[in-house]
Amino acid sequence: EVQLVESGGGLVQPGGSLRLSCAASGFTFATYDMDWVRQAPGKALEWVSTINTGGGNTYYADSVKGRFTISRDNAESMLYLQLNSLKTEDTAVYYCAIPGRWGNRGQGTQVTVSS
């Protein structure tokens, strides 16, 4: 059974930084590309970033490009998202998920950007 547990969210001022983590279990993590997605209040799920199995290829939504960095540690079955230069519009619940299987995501971690 796929289990994904996100952590690392919090309240941060505009311009601040956070590092999100996702602990994966129940599947062979190293053989799957992985996504970060987010959901702001009252809005649909939004794709944020993807990383391939080896970590050498990464992709970002235009809204976060240059500010967020996705990475992974296959030995530890961990996925990360470094959030820098945060903006109020980044406020959302952030989830990690297997591409194409966003319905099977964790509980998420809340990121609130506010002064």
Side-chain angles (χ1 to χ4, degrees), residues 74-111:
N74 285 340
E76 297 293 330
S77 296
M78 292 293 296
L79 182 71
Y80 301 101
L81 188 67
Q82 178 68 41
L83 289 62
N84 295 332
S85 303
L86 281 161
K87 305 176 181 180
T88 55
E89 53 262 44
D90 295 318
T91 294
V93 179
Y94 285 71
Y95 302 91
C96 59
I98 296 171
R101 295 168 64 175
W102 289 1
N104 191 5
R105 60 189 185 272
Q107 84 290 344
T109 188
Q110 175 71 49
V111 172

mmCIF file of all heavy atoms in Angstrom, residues 74-111:
data_model
loop_
_atom_site.group_PDB
_atom_site.id
_atom_site.type_symbol
_atom_site.label_atom_id
_atom_site.label_comp_id
_atom_site.label_asym_id
_atom_site.label_seq_id
_atom_site.Cartn_x
_atom_site.Cartn_y
_atom_site.Cartn_z
ATOM 1 N N ASN A 74 16.811 8.539 -2.881
ATOM 2 C CA ASN A 74 16.236 7.206 -3.118
ATOM 3 C C ASN A 74 16.642 6.197 -2.049
ATOM 4 O O ASN A 74 15.883 5.277 -1.746
ATOM 5 C CB ASN A 74 16.641 6.706 -4.500
ATOM 6 C CG ASN A 74 15.884 7.400 -5.616
ATOM 7 O OD1 ASN A 74 14.819 7.986 -5.403
ATOM 8 N ND2 ASN A 74 16.427 7.360 -6.817
ATOM 9 N N ALA A 75 17.804 6.351 -1.484
ATOM 10 C CA ALA A 75 18.249 5.429 -0.428
ATOM 11 C C ALA A 75 17.348 5.513 0.801
ATOM 12 O O ALA A 75 17.155 4.518 1.502
ATOM 13 C CB ALA A 75 19.688 5.728 -0.042
ATOM 14 N N GLU A 76 16.805 6.712 1.036
ATOM 15 C CA GLU A 76 15.956 6.925 2.205
ATOM 16 C C GLU A 76 14.480 6.996 1.835
ATOM 17 O O GLU A 76 13.639 7.185 2.717
ATOM 18 C CB GLU A 76 16.357 8.227 2.918
ATOM 19 C CG GLU A 76 17.775 8.205 3.466
ATOM 20 C CD GLU A 76 17.924 7.203 4.598
ATOM 21 O OE1 GLU A 76 16.939 6.941 5.329
ATOM 22 O OE2 GLU A 76 19.044 6.671 4.758
ATOM 23 N N SER A 77 14.144 6.856 0.557
ATOM 24 C CA SER A 77 12.758 6.980 0.078
ATOM 25 C C SER A 77 12.140 8.304 0.512
ATOM 26 O O SER A 77 11.020 8.350 1.050
ATOM 27 C CB SER A 77 11.902 5.803 0.570
ATOM 28 O OG SER A 77 12.358 4.590 0.033
ATOM 29 N N MET A 78 12.890 9.369 0.286
ATOM 30 C CA MET A 78 12.447 10.698 0.680
ATOM 31 C C MET A 78 12.401 11.628 -0.528
ATOM 32 O O MET A 78 13.274 11.590 -1.400
ATOM 33 C CB MET A 78 13.399 11.297 1.712
ATOM 34 C CG MET A 78 13.386 10.595 3.063
ATOM 35 S SD MET A 78 11.828 10.790 3.959
ATOM 36 C CE MET A 78 11.804 12.563 4.237
ATOM 37 N N LEU A 79 11.399 12.477 -0.551
ATOM 38 C CA LEU A 79 11.231 13.522 -1.558
ATOM 39 C C LEU A 79 11.224 14.858 -0.830
ATOM 40 O O LEU A 79 10.693 14.961 0.275
ATOM 41 C CB LEU A 79 9.909 13.318 -2.296
ATOM 42 C CG LEU A 79 9.571 14.292 -3.416
ATOM 43 C CD1 LEU A 79 10.481 14.055 -4.624
ATOM 44 C CD2 LEU A 79 8.099 14.150 -3.823
ATOM 45 N N TYR A 80 11.830 15.861 -1.452
ATOM 46 C CA TYR A 80 11.940 17.167 -0.815
ATOM 47 C C TYR A 80 11.483 18.269 -1.776
ATOM 48 O O TYR A 80 11.529 18.118 -3.001
ATOM 49 C CB TYR A 80 13.394 17.453 -0.420
ATOM 50 C CG TYR A 80 13.968 16.427 0.519
ATOM 51 C CD1 TYR A 80 14.809 15.429 0.042
ATOM 52 C CD2 TYR A 80 13.650 16.450 1.871
ATOM 53 C CE1 TYR A 80 15.334 14.474 0.900
ATOM 54 C CE2 TYR A 80 14.165 15.499 2.736
ATOM 55 C CZ TYR A 80 15.009 14.517 2.248
ATOM 56 O OH TYR A 80 15.520 13.576 3.105
ATOM 57 N N LEU A 81 11.079 19.392 -1.187
ATOM 58 C CA LEU A 81 10.794 20.594 -1.967
ATOM 59 C C LEU A 81 11.296 21.786 -1.162
ATOM 60 O O LEU A 81 10.792 22.051 -0.070
ATOM 61 C CB LEU A 81 9.300 20.741 -2.267
ATOM 62 C CG LEU A 81 8.950 21.869 -3.238
ATOM 63 C CD1 LEU A 81 9.487 21.566 -4.640
ATOM 64 C CD2 LEU A 81 7.444 22.103 -3.292
ATOM 65 N N GLN A 82 12.314 22.456 -1.671
ATOM 66 C CA GLN A 82 12.831 23.679 -1.060
ATOM 67 C C GLN A 82 12.066 24.862 -1.637
ATOM 68 O O GLN A 82 12.036 25.042 -2.860
ATOM 69 C CB GLN A 82 14.325 23.824 -1.355
ATOM 70 C CG GLN A 82 14.945 25.083 -0.805
ATOM 71 C CD GLN A 82 15.009 25.104 0.704
ATOM 72 O OE1 GLN A 82 15.312 24.085 1.330
ATOM 73 N NE2 GLN A 82 14.728 26.253 1.307
ATOM 74 N N LEU A 83 11.453 25.621 -0.757
ATOM 75 C CA LEU A 83 10.652 26.771 -1.160
ATOM 76 C C LEU A 83 11.380 28.043 -0.730
ATOM 77 O O LEU A 83 11.561 28.276 0.463
ATOM 78 C CB LEU A 83 9.272 26.735 -0.507
ATOM 79 C CG LEU A 83 8.228 25.715 -0.941
ATOM 80 C CD1 LEU A 83 8.662 24.285 -0.705
ATOM 81 C CD2 LEU A 83 6.916 25.971 -0.239
ATOM 82 N N ASN A 84 11.795 28.845 -1.659
ATOM 83 C CA ASN A 84 12.458 30.118 -1.377
ATOM 84 C C ASN A 84 11.647 31.272 -1.944
ATOM 85 O O ASN A 84 10.790 31.079 -2.805
ATOM 86 C CB ASN A 84 13.857 30.132 -1.989
ATOM 87 C CG ASN A 84 14.796 29.106 -1.368
ATOM 88 O OD1 ASN A 84 14.647 28.734 -0.202
ATOM 89 N ND2 ASN A 84 15.755 28.649 -2.144
ATOM 90 N N SER A 85 11.939 32.463 -1.457
ATOM 91 C CA SER A 85 11.278 33.682 -1.953
ATOM 92 C C SER A 85 9.763 33.503 -1.979
ATOM 93 O O SER A 85 9.100 33.809 -2.973
ATOM 94 C CB SER A 85 11.804 34.043 -3.342
ATOM 95 O OG SER A 85 13.202 34.215 -3.327
ATOM 96 N N LEU A 86 9.230 33.013 -0.888
ATOM 97 C CA LEU A 86 7.808 32.682 -0.847
ATOM 98 C C LEU A 86 6.939 33.915 -1.005
ATOM 99 O O LEU A 86 7.273 35.017 -0.527
ATOM 100 C CB LEU A 86 7.482 31.951 0.443
ATOM 101 C CG LEU A 86 7.870 30.464 0.411
ATOM 102 C CD1 LEU A 86 7.975 29.898 1.824
ATOM 103 C CD2 LEU A 86 6.858 29.671 -0.399
ATOM 104 N N LYS A 87 5.811 33.720 -1.666
ATOM 105 C CA LYS A 87 4.825 34.768 -1.911
ATOM 106 C C LYS A 87 3.500 34.371 -1.261
ATOM 107 O O LYS A 87 3.246 33.185 -1.026
ATOM 108 C CB LYS A 87 4.613 34.952 -3.408
ATOM 109 C CG LYS A 87 5.884 35.238 -4.199
ATOM 110 C CD LYS A 87 5.586 35.306 -5.687
ATOM 111 C CE LYS A 87 6.846 35.575 -6.492
ATOM 112 N NZ LYS A 87 6.563 35.654 -7.951
ATOM 113 N N THR A 88 2.651 35.346 -1.027
ATOM 114 C CA THR A 88 1.356 35.047 -0.407
ATOM 115 C C THR A 88 0.565 34.052 -1.251
ATOM 116 O O THR A 88 -0.165 33.217 -0.709
ATOM 117 C CB THR A 88 0.541 36.319 -0.187
ATOM 118 O OG1 THR A 88 0.411 37.015 -1.445
ATOM 119 C CG2 THR A 88 1.225 37.238 0.814
ATOM 120 N N GLU A 89 0.730 34.119 -2.564
ATOM 121 C CA GLU A 89 -0.005 33.211 -3.446
ATOM 122 C C GLU A 89 0.509 31.777 -3.408
ATOM 123 O O GLU A 89 -0.076 30.896 -4.031
ATOM 124 C CB GLU A 89 -0.014 33.722 -4.885
ATOM 125 C CG GLU A 89 1.343 34.045 -5.450
ATOM 126 C CD GLU A 89 1.663 35.542 -5.364
ATOM 127 O OE1 GLU A 89 1.402 36.147 -4.296
ATOM 128 O OE2 GLU A 89 2.196 36.088 -6.351
ATOM 129 N N ASP A 90 1.587 31.527 -2.674
ATOM 130 C CA ASP A 90 2.070 30.154 -2.480
ATOM 131 C C ASP A 90 1.343 29.459 -1.334
ATOM 132 O O ASP A 90 1.565 28.263 -1.098
ATOM 133 C CB ASP A 90 3.571 30.145 -2.189
ATOM 134 C CG ASP A 90 4.401 30.632 -3.355
ATOM 135 O OD1 ASP A 90 4.092 30.242 -4.503
ATOM 136 O OD2 ASP A 90 5.356 31.394 -3.125
ATOM 137 N N THR A 91 0.503 30.186 -0.621
ATOM 138 C CA THR A 91 -0.253 29.595 0.480
ATOM 139 C C THR A 91 -1.151 28.472 -0.040
ATOM 140 O O THR A 91 -1.949 28.675 -0.954
ATOM 141 C CB THR A 91 -1.116 30.658 1.167
ATOM 142 O OG1 THR A 91 -0.256 31.613 1.802
ATOM 143 C CG2 THR A 91 -2.031 30.034 2.217
ATOM 144 N N ALA A 92 -0.972 27.278 0.529
ATOM 145 C CA ALA A 92 -1.704 26.102 0.066
ATOM 146 C C ALA A 92 -1.325 24.914 0.939
ATOM 147 O O ALA A 92 -0.371 24.982 1.726
ATOM 148 C CB ALA A 92 -1.364 25.788 -1.388
ATOM 149 N N VAL A 93 -2.059 23.838 0.773
ATOM 150 C CA VAL A 93 -1.637 22.543 1.309
ATOM 151 C C VAL A 93 -0.813 21.858 0.223
ATOM 152 O O VAL A 93 -1.254 21.764 -0.925
ATOM 153 C CB VAL A 93 -2.830 21.668 1.708
ATOM 154 C CG1 VAL A 93 -2.347 20.321 2.240
ATOM 155 C CG2 VAL A 93 -3.678 22.375 2.760
ATOM 156 N N TYR A 94 0.370 21.425 0.587
ATOM 157 C CA TYR A 94 1.295 20.795 -0.360
ATOM 158 C C TYR A 94 1.300 19.280 -0.147
ATOM 159 O O TYR A 94 1.377 18.798 0.986
ATOM 160 C CB TYR A 94 2.696 21.361 -0.176
ATOM 161 C CG TYR A 94 2.848 22.752 -0.736
ATOM 162 C CD1 TYR A 94 2.242 23.839 -0.118
ATOM 163 C CD2 TYR A 94 3.575 22.984 -1.909
ATOM 164 C CE1 TYR A 94 2.359 25.123 -0.649
ATOM 165 C CE2 TYR A 94 3.709 24.260 -2.439
ATOM 166 C CZ TYR A 94 3.094 25.327 -1.799
ATOM 167 O OH TYR A 94 3.205 26.591 -2.324
ATOM 168 N N TYR A 95 1.251 18.570 -1.279
ATOM 169 C CA TYR A 95 1.213 17.112 -1.253
ATOM 170 C C TYR A 95 2.303 16.544 -2.168
ATOM 171 O O TYR A 95 2.593 17.126 -3.222
ATOM 172 C CB TYR A 95 -0.112 16.588 -1.795
ATOM 173 C CG TYR A 95 -1.356 17.067 -1.094
ATOM 174 C CD1 TYR A 95 -2.012 18.217 -1.526
ATOM 175 C CD2 TYR A 95 -1.916 16.352 -0.046
ATOM 176 C CE1 TYR A 95 -3.171 18.655 -0.912
ATOM 177 C CE2 TYR A 95 -3.089 16.778 0.574
ATOM 178 C CZ TYR A 95 -3.705 17.924 0.137
ATOM 179 O OH TYR A 95 -4.863 18.346 0.743
ATOM 180 N N CYS A 96 2.821 15.398 -1.799
ATOM 181 C CA CYS A 96 3.620 14.635 -2.748
ATOM 182 C C CYS A 96 2.739 13.522 -3.312
ATOM 183 O O CYS A 96 1.798 13.067 -2.655
ATOM 184 C CB CYS A 96 4.869 14.061 -2.105
ATOM 185 S SG CYS A 96 4.580 12.962 -0.715
ATOM 186 N N ALA A 97 3.025 13.116 -4.531
ATOM 187 C CA ALA A 97 2.187 12.118 -5.182
ATOM 188 C C ALA A 97 2.936 11.475 -6.338
ATOM 189 O O ALA A 97 3.875 12.057 -6.890
ATOM 190 C CB ALA A 97 0.902 12.759 -5.704
ATOM 191 N N ILE A 98 2.515 10.270 -6.692
ATOM 192 C CA ILE A 98 3.019 9.617 -7.893
ATOM 193 C C ILE A 98 2.299 10.235 -9.081
ATOM 194 O O ILE A 98 1.068 10.405 -9.039
ATOM 195 C CB ILE A 98 2.775 8.103 -7.829
ATOM 196 C CG1 ILE A 98 3.560 7.482 -6.661
ATOM 197 C CG2 ILE A 98 3.142 7.436 -9.140
ATOM 198 C CD1 ILE A 98 3.214 6.039 -6.388
ATOM 199 N N PRO A 99 3.007 10.615 -10.133
ATOM 200 C CA PRO A 99 2.343 11.193 -11.312
ATOM 201 C C PRO A 99 1.231 10.303 -11.820
ATOM 202 O O PRO A 99 1.388 9.089 -11.942
ATOM 203 C CB PRO A 99 3.492 11.299 -12.322
ATOM 204 C CG PRO A 99 4.703 11.468 -11.485
ATOM 205 C CD PRO A 99 4.472 10.610 -10.270
ATOM 206 N N GLY A 100 0.074 10.919 -12.089
ATOM 207 C CA GLY A 100 -1.090 10.179 -12.571
ATOM 208 C C GLY A 100 -1.891 9.522 -11.466
ATOM 209 O O GLY A 100 -2.944 8.939 -11.730
ATOM 210 N N ARG A 101 -1.401 9.615 -10.249
ATOM 211 C CA ARG A 101 -2.100 9.002 -9.114
ATOM 212 C C ARG A 101 -2.266 10.012 -7.991
ATOM 213 O O ARG A 101 -2.063 9.713 -6.818
ATOM 214 C CB ARG A 101 -1.333 7.766 -8.642
ATOM 215 C CG ARG A 101 -1.291 6.657 -9.681
ATOM 216 C CD ARG A 101 -0.295 5.557 -9.342
ATOM 217 N NE ARG A 101 -0.633 4.844 -8.120
ATOM 218 C CZ ARG A 101 0.047 3.785 -7.675
ATOM 219 N NH1 ARG A 101 1.091 3.331 -8.367
ATOM 220 N NH2 ARG A 101 -0.288 3.194 -6.559
ATOM 221 N N TRP A 102 -2.660 11.230 -8.358
ATOM 222 C CA TRP A 102 -2.801 12.280 -7.354
ATOM 223 C C TRP A 102 -3.887 11.954 -6.321
ATOM 224 O O TRP A 102 -3.875 12.488 -5.224
ATOM 225 C CB TRP A 102 -3.119 13.608 -8.036
ATOM 226 C CG TRP A 102 -1.979 14.188 -8.795
ATOM 227 C CD1 TRP A 102 -0.735 13.656 -8.957
ATOM 228 C CD2 TRP A 102 -2.001 15.421 -9.507
ATOM 229 N NE1 TRP A 102 0.026 14.486 -9.734
ATOM 230 C CE2 TRP A 102 -0.720 15.585 -10.076
ATOM 231 C CE3 TRP A 102 -2.959 16.410 -9.719
ATOM 232 C CZ2 TRP A 102 -0.377 16.692 -10.848
ATOM 233 C CZ3 TRP A 102 -2.626 17.513 -10.474
ATOM 234 C CH2 TRP A 102 -1.343 17.648 -11.035
ATOM 235 N N GLY A 103 -4.807 11.107 -6.670
ATOM 236 C CA GLY A 103 -5.853 10.739 -5.721
ATOM 237 C C GLY A 103 -5.317 9.958 -4.542
ATOM 238 O O GLY A 103 -5.923 9.936 -3.469
ATOM 239 N N ASN A 104 -4.153 9.340 -4.733
ATOM 240 C CA ASN A 104 -3.539 8.550 -3.669
ATOM 241 C C ASN A 104 -2.372 9.333 -3.086
ATOM 242 O O ASN A 104 -1.212 8.994 -3.260
ATOM 243 C CB ASN A 104 -3.065 7.207 -4.220
ATOM 244 C CG ASN A 104 -2.660 6.252 -3.115
ATOM 245 O OD1 ASN A 104 -2.816 6.557 -1.937
ATOM 246 N ND2 ASN A 104 -2.133 5.100 -3.486
ATOM 247 N N ARG A 105 -2.690 10.432 -2.423
ATOM 248 C CA ARG A 105 -1.659 11.300 -1.863
ATOM 249 C C ARG A 105 -1.777 11.287 -0.342
ATOM 250 O O ARG A 105 -2.719 10.751 0.222
ATOM 251 C CB ARG A 105 -1.811 12.725 -2.405
ATOM 252 C CG ARG A 105 -3.136 13.382 -2.098
ATOM 253 C CD ARG A 105 -3.267 14.706 -2.861
ATOM 254 N NE ARG A 105 -4.497 15.399 -2.490
ATOM 255 C CZ ARG A 105 -5.669 15.206 -3.076
ATOM 256 N NH1 ARG A 105 -5.784 14.318 -4.042
ATOM 257 N NH2 ARG A 105 -6.733 15.888 -2.684
ATOM 258 N N GLY A 106 -0.812 11.911 0.323
ATOM 259 C CA GLY A 106 -0.819 11.933 1.773
ATOM 260 C C GLY A 106 -1.771 12.972 2.320
ATOM 261 O O GLY A 106 -2.627 13.495 1.615
ATOM 262 N N GLN A 107 -1.582 13.275 3.594
ATOM 263 C CA GLN A 107 -2.477 14.233 4.260
ATOM 264 C C GLN A 107 -2.087 15.670 3.954
ATOM 265 O O GLN A 107 -2.854 16.588 4.203
ATOM 266 C CB GLN A 107 -2.465 13.999 5.781
ATOM 267 C CG GLN A 107 -1.338 14.679 6.532
ATOM 268 C CD GLN A 107 0.035 14.089 6.270
ATOM 269 O OE1 GLN A 107 0.155 12.980 5.749
ATOM 270 N NE2 GLN A 107 1.074 14.804 6.642
ATOM 271 N N GLY A 108 -0.907 15.841 3.429
ATOM 272 C CA GLY A 108 -0.450 17.169 3.055
ATOM 273 C C GLY A 108 0.173 17.935 4.213
ATOM 274 O O GLY A 108 0.057 17.550 5.380
ATOM 275 N N THR A 109 0.844 19.019 3.869
ATOM 276 C CA THR A 109 1.423 19.911 4.871
ATOM 277 C C THR A 109 1.064 21.337 4.496
ATOM 278 O O THR A 109 1.214 21.743 3.348
ATOM 279 C CB THR A 109 2.940 19.698 4.995
ATOM 280 O OG1 THR A 109 3.436 20.457 6.100
ATOM 281 C CG2 THR A 109 3.709 20.030 3.736
ATOM 282 N N GLN A 110 0.569 22.092 5.466
ATOM 283 C CA GLN A 110 0.067 23.450 5.217
ATOM 284 C C GLN A 110 1.221 24.438 5.158
ATOM 285 O O GLN A 110 2.040 24.507 6.076
ATOM 286 C CB GLN A 110 -0.901 23.870 6.311
ATOM 287 C CG GLN A 110 -1.392 25.306 6.210
ATOM 288 C CD GLN A 110 -2.358 25.520 5.056
ATOM 289 O OE1 GLN A 110 -3.310 24.767 4.893
ATOM 290 N NE2 GLN A 110 -2.121 26.547 4.262
ATOM 291 N N VAL A 111 1.248 25.212 4.089
ATOM 292 C CA VAL A 111 2.185 26.332 3.967
ATOM 293 C C VAL A 111 1.359 27.603 3.927
ATOM 294 O O VAL A 111 0.483 27.762 3.068
ATOM 295 C CB VAL A 111 3.038 26.207 2.690
ATOM 296 C CG1 VAL A 111 3.860 27.475 2.466
ATOM 297 C CG2 VAL A 111 3.952 24.988 2.775
#
